[in-house]
Amino acid sequence: MDTIKKMVVGIVPACVALLAADTCLASEIFIDVPEIVPVMARLKKGEMSREEAVRTLAAVANGYREAMEESLSPIAGKGRWDERAMYCGTVLAAISRLKDKASLPFFEEMSLAIYEDTRKTAIAGYIEVAEPVDALPFIERIERDWRYTERDREAAYHQLAKFFMDYKAWKREQENWGRRVSPTSPYPELAKADKGKVFTFMLERLQTEQNSGIAQTLDKLLARLLSGYASSVQRAQVAERFDDGNYGSYWLDARTAVAKTPERRRKDFRAKGELLEGRDARVWQKQKPPLPDDPAALAELARKEADVWVRRAVVPKLADQALLMALAENDPDHEVRRLAVLHLADQASLARIATNDTYTLAMRWAAVSQLDDQALLAEIAQSDADANLRCEAISRLADQPLLARIVRDRGEDKRTRQLAMHALTDQTLLMEFARNGNEKWERHAAVYKISDLSCLAEIARDSQDGFMRQVAVDKINDQTLLEEIARIANRDDWDWARWKAIGKLTNQTLLAELAANDGDVRARCAAIRKLTDRTLLQGLAKNDKEPDVRKEAASKLKGLTLFPEFGFTPNAHDANVRQAAVQKMTDQALIAKIAQKDTDMGVRRTAVARLTDQALLAKIAQNDKGEHVRGAAVERLDNQTLLEKIAQTDKHESVRREAVKKLTNQTLIAEIAENDKHEWVRGDAMRMLEDQAAIAWIAKSSANERVRVKAIERLTDPAILADFAQNAQTDWERTTARNQIYWMTCTLDDTARLKKLARNADAKVSGEAKARLKELEWRDRPENQTNAAQDNADPWPRQTAVYRLTDQTRLGEIATTDDDRFVRLAATYKLRDQKILETLAVHDSDYFVRLAAVSQLTDQALLMQIGKSSKDEAMLKTLLPRVNATHQTFFAEIARLNAHHSTMDLAISRITDLALLAEIANDDPPNDHWSKEKARHRLKMLKAQNSGIQ
């Protein structure tokens, strides 16, 4: 690494000189890694082709990865910073900037590296180079392949999102906690068919996604890009699934946005063959390679199998201690060695590895994690030079006094002391730390570990630390103790512990007493939230002196039961009480009365948000004195004539903005985008504008420079942009136009336009156009594609060529005869011929090709035939989602006969026939409880859904 740093120091002046000579190269120079600079310079001068550059840089990245993984620390895979990982990631980023699809197999290989950051960078690079449509099969492999983790999935979807929006805008959106930020430039345009594929994929994925972060990413993209999705049936279903209070306010906001559209007008993407085409959402399952059960066969694989991933999968199944020790000492793959140590049971061998610093740190850490010898663990915990090993030893120690001594030892680092505290279980020692700990973190950590009720009650009553009292109350469920804590007078202004105790009470008499008479308003509100006495709640909502108490009581009551008993008039009672009650109302006549006559703007706005009468909404949108009330009414309006009038004449910009967002008249939108006096209204109108001629006119004629720039960002015609790049009024406009041309050139297929751009004075645009022309020239020659797919000795060009082939006969030949697994897999994924796919699925010698063939089959008879004859778990998991839901008997047969629990679970999840489920639940063989329990659970869930529909 010192050598690398010296090279960096030596090469920086050369880089600076190179940048001065050609500023267009600036975005492609990565000074941190010296190997990149000469490659990029030669590429720019034409001395090296893109493919040669990719190969050279791939070798550099592989070198960094191997050096990094050889000395892998025990927590490196969890994101620990490593200098070599940074360099490897920089090289991968440089390769992705070359946009050469021949690099895709390399990115796929690097996506399976051990180091997490390397994997994520490689996944992002693959998607950036392949672009969304061609990247979808890769993302599906990440979903199904057991070698990819949840973090890998998140990286894939994050990169997919970056393709569709400006990166800076995307980062701002993340930093603003998900609040929508409009992109500063549009995403590259996709063909209509490609959009359909991408949107279908996103919609299908959303239906089964369990990761809220990924679901939010997909939901934001679809809400922004897919017309009708923001108020669709599918979005409502996803938001309802996630809106349980555990994922923040995002899904609540999404449900609220959908709720603004009446159910009859919500778009359903399963209707009329749109996008989803009425299909069931896919069920995504991880696939693992099949392994033999015979110990001798497993041992043979562990010793001789060339595929490192198979050896890594075999090691956890081995029981032969001598073989495991031999693998730990001699296997060429460091991860296999580490896994072998992790599965060793021989304590003498583990002790030898743990105490011998000739072994790698990763192996010693794995050995310590399996040790049971408490004396040896204590020695390592107190004296080993490596902090990671000391921490691992401490986490396995059972000697409570020794752990307590380590916690008290101020000479130890804080992380070690915290781990020792985490390993403490002795309640007496923990209570001592809770009472007398020298540092706050000791006391807080101790109270988290205490489970003794008497100790918790003492802390909740007597501790001066409000946080400790709160944690103690969280862990107490005894009603007698909770009542005792609830009666204690407040010790400070923010006695969260007491409010939590009240919130856990069930004694309605005590709750009524606290709600009516307690001196703390927050305690009274906490009691009201648990009250069930309607009479008392109505009295508090009507007569209590405290506004917060009245509002809390009103929010517990339905508006229809609250207001008639009050003898409702539009302005009776507290505004907060009225607003809380309106939120619970369903009577449209009463809501209409409040929306028109209430004196409080907040109450009127809440009522308008619940109105459905279009005529009344139109009246309010024009006449209400409050701009927020008018804006809420405009949000729910459908009348385009009225919306056009409001967009032009309303005196407040917020109301005009809401109206502009719902306009369809492109001529009027263009006029507003150019002439409205408020910048935000003009910006909203520009985003709604689709007419390129109108956008170009605004970009030329507007008097406002910012408006002209926004218009240029919306242009997609290279000829018009080229004119602006040369003749626009200001540098800002010319630079914006040049940037637009550059990004469009990367994906442009029009040869005539590319030739014109290749003559452009801008070197950056010209260079990209020339490179794109060469790529298209090669791509458009069928003989080149076929020759590259079949004759090239290197698998990379062949695999790239296969992705571009459409001839099913050629693809079939490659899928059945090629020597390289990845080339055959690429051909199989492109096949649609059912006979060839059947042959591959049943008879091919390569397991993964068989899986790929099954994943492309659509013939229902063939799928069911293979399903009935196969006992392979991964094969069935691939096959079952492709069988139509109408074949209920087939799913029942698989659920009964298959030996794999996960396959049974998947088959049962596809059954909707209540009689079949009841049969499986009641008549299963007595030795098989899994499918019986799953069938019962499924039956119960379907019955609950059906009763809800009725």
Side-chain angles (χ1 to χ4, degrees), residues 240-417:
E240 184 174 359
R241 177 151 53 90
F242 282 105
D243 183 22
D244 60 1
N246 295 324
Y247 303 107
S249 63
Y250 179 86
W251 294 109
L252 175 61
D253 294 342
R255 285 186 72 178
T256 305
V258 176
K260 292 178 181 179
T261 304
E263 287 190 22
R264 69 180 185 279
R265 297 185 56 231
R266 294 177 192 171
K267 189 164 186 177
D268 186 350
F269 290 100
R270 294 185 187 278
K272 300 179 182 179
E274 288 191 60
L275 292 181
L276 289 176
E277 299 175 355
R279 294 173 296 181
D280 289 335
R282 299 179 188 178
V283 178
W284 304 81
Q285 298 287 344
K286 295 288 183 186
Q287 299 172 345
K288 295 186 179 181
L291 296 173
D293 296 326
D294 180 34
L298 286 170
E300 189 70 12
L301 281 175
R303 290 191 192 98
K304 299 182 178 179
E305 173 60 44
D307 189 334
V308 68
W309 281 100
V310 174
R311 296 208 309 280
R312 291 177 187 177
V314 166
V315 168
K317 292 180 173 288
L318 296 175
D320 186 331
Q321 296 296 298
L323 175 58
L324 285 168
M325 191 63 187
L327 291 172
E329 294 184 321
N330 302 319
D331 196 274
D333 182 68
H334 53 276
E335 183 64 8
V336 172
R337 297 197 299 272
R338 190 178 73 87
L339 287 171
V341 176
L342 281 173
H343 290 85
L344 268 175
D346 182 53
Q347 292 294 305
S349 299
L350 290 169
R352 190 174 81 199
I353 295 171
T355 55
N356 189 341
D357 59 9
T358 60
Y359 291 98
T360 64
L361 177 61
M363 291 178 67
R364 293 184 64 209
W365 179 85
V368 171
S369 71
Q370 304 303 307
L371 273 178
D372 295 327
D373 186 331
Q374 291 292 305
L376 182 55
L377 286 170
E379 181 183 341
I380 294 171
Q382 296 177 90
S383 60
D384 199 275
D386 187 84
N388 286 326
L389 290 180
R390 292 203 306 276
C391 289
E392 183 60 29
I394 287 168
S395 69
R396 296 185 60 76
L397 274 178
D399 186 335
Q400 298 292 300
L402 174 57
L403 289 168
R405 285 201 300 276
I406 293 173
V407 175
R408 294 190 184 100
D409 186 356
R410 297 297 187 90
E412 277 284 3
D413 61 279
K414 185 175 179 181
R415 178 181 166 218
T416 306
R417 295 170 62 204

Side-chain angles (χ1 to χ4, degrees), residues 485-740:
I485 296 165
R487 292 179 187 277
I488 297 174
N490 275 16
R491 282 158 288 198
D492 52 55
D493 291 339
W494 294 93
D495 198 350
W496 290 97
R498 182 166 179 255
W499 305 339
K500 277 185 172 290
I502 293 170
K504 297 175 78 171
L505 288 177
T506 58
N507 185 337
Q508 290 293 309
T509 305
L510 177 56
L511 286 168
E513 178 187 337
L514 292 170
N517 304 317
D518 199 272
D520 182 4
V521 172
R522 297 181 188 87
R524 295 179 65 195
C525 290
I528 287 170
R529 283 192 283 273
K530 297 288 288 183
L531 267 181
T532 57
D533 187 334
R534 283 196 162 277
T535 305
L536 179 56
L537 287 169
Q538 288 169 356
L540 290 170
K542 182 177 180 180
N543 301 318
D544 201 273
K545 296 178 181 179
E546 293 291 343
D548 289 343
V549 173
R550 293 198 301 273
K551 182 178 179 180
E552 195 66 51
S555 67
K556 281 282 288 183
L557 296 167
K558 289 185 178 179
L560 289 178
T561 62
L562 175 66
F563 277 109
E565 294 182 20
F566 281 7
F568 173 77
T569 58
N571 303 313
H573 320 299
D574 187 274
N576 286 333
V577 176
R578 299 200 306 275
Q579 190 167 358
V582 169
Q583 289 172 345
K584 299 281 185 132
M585 286 182 181
T586 56
D587 186 324
Q588 286 291 307
L590 186 55
I591 293 172
K593 186 177 180 181
I594 297 168
Q596 295 176 87
K597 297 184 178 180
D598 201 282
T599 56
D600 185 84
M601 185 166 65
V603 177
R604 294 201 309 278
R605 183 182 181 183
T606 303
V608 165
R610 299 180 65 81
L611 272 179
T612 57
D613 185 335
Q614 287 289 309
L616 182 55
L617 285 169
K619 179 180 176 182
I620 294 170
Q622 296 176 88
N623 301 323
D624 197 278
K625 295 179 181 179
E627 65 273 10
H628 297 302
V629 181
R630 297 199 305 276
V634 167
E635 280 186 34
R636 300 179 66 80
L637 274 179
D638 295 329
N639 187 324
Q640 283 293 313
T641 304
L642 182 55
L643 286 169
E644 290 176 5
K645 178 182 176 183
I646 293 170
Q648 292 174 288
T649 61
D650 197 279
K651 60 185 178 182
H652 202 277
E653 67 275 3
S654 65
V655 183
R656 298 200 303 278
R657 288 183 72 188
E658 293 297 337
V660 164
K661 290 174 186 177
K662 302 196 73 176
L663 289 179
T664 59
N665 185 336
Q666 289 289 303
T667 304
L668 179 59
I669 292 172
E671 183 182 335
I672 293 171
E674 183 178 4
N675 299 321
D676 195 277
K677 60 185 178 182
H678 200 281
E679 181 181 343
W680 290 353
V681 181
R682 295 196 302 271
D684 284 337
M686 188 62 70
R687 280 187 285 275
M688 294 290 295
L689 197 57
E690 297 174 358
D691 186 334
Q692 288 290 301
I695 295 172
W697 170 255
I698 294 171
K700 283 184 178 179
S701 61
S702 176
N704 188 297
E705 181 184 17
R706 188 179 294 274
V707 173
R708 296 197 302 272
V709 169
K710 289 290 183 185
I712 292 170
E713 288 176 350
R714 294 296 313 281
L715 287 171
T716 58
D717 188 324
I720 299 175
L721 283 166
D723 179 55
F724 278 104
Q726 293 180 359
N727 304 317
Q729 300 177 36
T730 65
D731 286 341
W732 187 11
E733 294 168 68
R734 291 191 290 273
T735 302
T736 303
R738 282 197 298 272
N739 288 339
Q740 287 292 97

